[in-house]
Structure formats: structure tokens, C-alpha cells
Amino acid sequence: MIKELKEKQRTPQQNKSIHKYFEMVAESLKGQDIRVIISKLATEGIDLFVNPFVIKEIWRAIQLQQVGKKSTTQLTTNDIDLIYDVMNKFLSENFELSIPFPHKDDN
């Protein structure tokens, strides 16, 4: 008998951690020259003040490309790990910044 393994949807605590991560990244990038590509607004990019909403859009772009899901509510626990790894690599390579993913004690 083969038992199918189903990935668990992200927990409410993981959702809090994702949003805490957005805040931590935004705070760390304040004052950096960051250019965010938002295709609906401009093909060349638009200069935005860094805030958690901008960071969430960067996360969402990675999320869509890596796991094909539009909403963070659709993520599994494994999806979050994968997206975080890609986001962390991007931040380290471009801004020499590595922020550990928050755990429940950090929220």
C-alpha cells in the first residue's frame, strides 16, 4: 500500500514570520539604492522607498517564478523554505545582506 505524502499548507505562525521578514529586510535596506521592476508601472523600473510592501512584491515575484503560486496563502511549508533561499541569495549577492528567517520567538 502506497501512502501519498501531502505537503502541509503554511501555518499562521509562518505567515507572521513571512511578514516579520519583510519588515526586517525593509529596515535593513533603508537608504540603499534599490530599483524595483514593476512591469505594470514602468518597464525600466521605478524608484521606490523601501518598505515591507515593496519587499513583499519582490518575494511574490520570486514565489511566482519558483512555485507558480500567486498568493502567500497558497504556500506550503516547503515552498517558504525554497523562496526564502532564493530571496536570501539575491540579497546577499546584491546587497551583502543575509537575514535569518524569523522564528516564533522573533515575532
Side-chain angles (χ1 to χ4, degrees), residues 36-43:
V36 179
I37 303 293
I38 300 179
S39 59
K40 292 179 186 171
L41 298 176
T43 56

Side-chain angles (χ1 to χ4, degrees), residues 26 29-32 34 36 46-55:
L29 288 176
K30 275 187 179 169
Q32 294 277 345
I34 186 168
V36 179
I46 186 168
D47 289 323
L48 299 171
F49 293 110
V50 178
N51 62 52
F53 300 109
V54 170
I55 301 305

Side-chain angles (χ1 to χ4, degrees), residues 8-22 59 72 75-81 101-104 107:
K8 291 194 250 177
Q9 183 179 15
R10 63 127 175 93
T11 64
Q13 184 59 49
Q14 285 175 312
N15 188 54
K16 286 181 188 176
S17 293
I18 290 170
H19 287 86
K20 178 67 174 179
Y21 178 71
F22 299 155
W59 173 281
T72 60
L75 296 178
T76 66
T77 55
N78 290 337
D79 292 339
I80 292 170
D81 292 341
F101 194 78
H103 297 283
K104 71 178 177 183
N107 295 321

Side-chain angles (χ1 to χ4, degrees), residues 18-26 29 34 36 50-63 66 79-102:
I18 290 170
H19 287 86
K20 178 67 174 179
Y21 178 71
F22 299 155
E23 292 172 12
M24 294 166 63
V25 172
L29 288 176
I34 186 168
V36 179
V50 178
N51 62 52
F53 300 109
V54 170
I55 301 305
K56 184 174 185 174
E57 289 308 312
I58 296 169
W59 173 281
R60 207 184 300 259
I62 294 168
Q63 170 183 305
Q66 289 295 306
D79 292 339
I80 292 170
D81 292 341
L82 175 63
I83 298 162
Y84 167 77
D85 288 344
V86 173
M87 179 86 164
N88 192 50
K89 182 177 184 286
F90 166 76
L91 292 172
S92 338
E93 290 174 352
N94 292 282
F95 300 99
E96 296 179 3
L97 178 67
S98 180
I99 296 175
F101 194 78

